[in-house]
Amino acid sequence: MTTTANTNTNTGSGSKTPKSPGQFRLPDPPEHPDDKMTNFKQLATTGHAHHLARHLGNPETTLVAGERYLVVRPTRSMAGSHYPDLLVAFDVDSAAYEASNGYIIEEQGKPPDFVLEIASPRTGHIDVGEKREAYAALRITEYWRFDETGQYHGARLAGDRLENGQYVAIELNAPAENVLQGYSAVLNLYLRWESGVLGWYDPNTGMHIATFDTEREGRLQERAARIQAEARVRELEEEIHRLRNG
């Protein structure tokens, strides 16, 4: 698959040199079945996190991850910490994230550039209140929320961009029936709510970023074209042979 590396690394937080990963390893976040089911449906079943990672490229320095703690620094109680459903961070140390079992801002030298929360019955009110304030305080450039029904966030899709230390709502539009989308400058992609399903659209092509299905379709088309070309070559060879042998 052809990937498109993101070139927009101006996050407003400044590029810093990450610290070497320490010995402290963050604990695993608690599991909640309702949250897990919601996230699995929108991110894992569809492969969206994988597709996004492949599209952005540079896996050693571009982190696409989620459901692990995001903290300024490790604490014993983990009080006030959050574990986003999805985060994206450019120019960071992906190996340090794995070694620490989460995103430590002091270790990486910067906050994530993008965070997305998927609505669930348990966390919907937290996503639009407490987390929004917390992520602004952490200086995360963009914070997005996706709600399959709009029941738990009060909106099906919403995004905020950090301006002068405060979140400002990102403009959304409805290009078609049952479609709502907004542009992420950080990712250079449109996030889309379409009939309750999350999507990522390339503004240059207007198409969804490459998925397992489009990869498979591309391979099938290449195979069909190759077979057609080989058949044409055989026809020409037979015609040449006929002409030579009269």
Side-chain angles (χ1 to χ4, degrees), residues 32 57 80 182 219 227 235 241:
H32 298 278
R219 289 194 297 269
I227 291 172
E235 289 176 1
H241 179 76

PDB file of all heavy atoms in Angstrom, residues 32 57 80 182 219 227 235 241:
ATOM      1  N   HIS A  32     -13.341  -1.926  30.934  1.00  0.00           N
ATOM      2  CA  HIS A  32     -14.788  -1.808  31.107  1.00  0.00           C
ATOM      3  C   HIS A  32     -15.446  -2.396  29.867  1.00  0.00           C
ATOM      4  O   HIS A  32     -15.237  -1.891  28.755  1.00  0.00           O
ATOM      5  CB  HIS A  32     -15.191  -0.347  31.297  1.00  0.00           C
ATOM      6  CG  HIS A  32     -14.595   0.293  32.512  1.00  0.00           C
ATOM      7  ND1 HIS A  32     -15.128   0.140  33.762  1.00  0.00           N
ATOM      8  CD2 HIS A  32     -13.487   1.057  32.659  1.00  0.00           C
ATOM      9  CE1 HIS A  32     -14.387   0.805  34.642  1.00  0.00           C
ATOM     10  NE2 HIS A  32     -13.385   1.361  33.997  1.00  0.00           N
ATOM     11  N   GLY A  57       2.395   6.654   8.031  1.00  0.00           N
ATOM     12  CA  GLY A  57       3.752   6.174   7.815  1.00  0.00           C
ATOM     13  C   GLY A  57       4.687   6.460   8.989  1.00  0.00           C
ATOM     14  O   GLY A  57       4.270   6.883  10.072  1.00  0.00           O
ATOM     15  N   GLY A  80      -6.141  11.395  38.237  1.00  0.00           N
ATOM     16  CA  GLY A  80      -6.292  12.432  37.233  1.00  0.00           C
ATOM     17  C   GLY A  80      -5.778  12.063  35.858  1.00  0.00           C
ATOM     18  O   GLY A  80      -5.808  12.897  34.944  1.00  0.00           O
ATOM     19  N   GLY A 182     -15.425  16.878   9.507  1.00  0.00           N
ATOM     20  CA  GLY A 182     -14.633  18.036   9.862  1.00  0.00           C
ATOM     21  C   GLY A 182     -13.182  17.784   9.511  1.00  0.00           C
ATOM     22  O   GLY A 182     -12.727  16.626   9.488  1.00  0.00           O
ATOM     23  N   ARG A 219      -5.333  -5.254  -5.633  1.00  0.00           N
ATOM     24  CA  ARG A 219      -4.591  -6.442  -6.055  1.00  0.00           C
ATOM     25  C   ARG A 219      -5.368  -7.230  -7.108  1.00  0.00           C
ATOM     26  O   ARG A 219      -4.796  -7.752  -8.068  1.00  0.00           O
ATOM     27  CB  ARG A 219      -4.273  -7.328  -4.855  1.00  0.00           C
ATOM     28  CG  ARG A 219      -3.217  -6.747  -3.919  1.00  0.00           C
ATOM     29  CD  ARG A 219      -2.701  -7.796  -2.954  1.00  0.00           C
ATOM     30  NE  ARG A 219      -3.742  -8.290  -2.072  1.00  0.00           N
ATOM     31  CZ  ARG A 219      -4.026  -7.777  -0.883  1.00  0.00           C
ATOM     32  NH1 ARG A 219      -3.338  -6.732  -0.448  1.00  0.00           N
ATOM     33  NH2 ARG A 219      -4.982  -8.286  -0.123  1.00  0.00           N
ATOM     34  N   ILE A 227      -3.463 -10.498 -16.379  1.00  0.00           N
ATOM     35  CA  ILE A 227      -3.988 -11.622 -17.162  1.00  0.00           C
ATOM     36  C   ILE A 227      -4.426 -11.161 -18.546  1.00  0.00           C
ATOM     37  O   ILE A 227      -4.161 -11.818 -19.555  1.00  0.00           O
ATOM     38  CB  ILE A 227      -5.160 -12.287 -16.407  1.00  0.00           C
ATOM     39  CG1 ILE A 227      -4.637 -12.993 -15.147  1.00  0.00           C
ATOM     40  CG2 ILE A 227      -5.900 -13.271 -17.304  1.00  0.00           C
ATOM     41  CD1 ILE A 227      -5.734 -13.513 -14.242  1.00  0.00           C
ATOM     42  N   GLU A 235      -2.092 -13.533 -28.108  1.00  0.00           N
ATOM     43  CA  GLU A 235      -2.818 -13.304 -29.366  1.00  0.00           C
ATOM     44  C   GLU A 235      -1.884 -12.721 -30.434  1.00  0.00           C
ATOM     45  O   GLU A 235      -1.925 -13.130 -31.609  1.00  0.00           O
ATOM     46  CB  GLU A 235      -3.990 -12.354 -29.132  1.00  0.00           C
ATOM     47  CG  GLU A 235      -5.132 -12.955 -28.332  1.00  0.00           C
ATOM     48  CD  GLU A 235      -6.210 -11.939 -28.042  1.00  0.00           C
ATOM     49  OE1 GLU A 235      -6.051 -10.771 -28.485  1.00  0.00           O
ATOM     50  OE2 GLU A 235      -7.201 -12.297 -27.370  1.00  0.00           O
ATOM     51  N   HIS A 241       2.923 -15.554 -35.783  1.00  0.00           N
ATOM     52  CA  HIS A 241       3.232 -16.897 -36.254  1.00  0.00           C
ATOM     53  C   HIS A 241       2.415 -17.243 -37.486  1.00  0.00           C
ATOM     54  O   HIS A 241       2.922 -17.834 -38.464  1.00  0.00           O
ATOM     55  CB  HIS A 241       2.953 -17.904 -35.139  1.00  0.00           C
ATOM     56  CG  HIS A 241       3.221 -19.315 -35.536  1.00  0.00           C
ATOM     57  ND1 HIS A 241       4.495 -19.843 -35.627  1.00  0.00           N
ATOM     58  CD2 HIS A 241       2.363 -20.333 -35.859  1.00  0.00           C
ATOM     59  CE1 HIS A 241       4.420 -21.099 -36.003  1.00  0.00           C
ATOM     60  NE2 HIS A 241       3.135 -21.430 -36.136  1.00  0.00           N
TER      61      HIS A 241
END
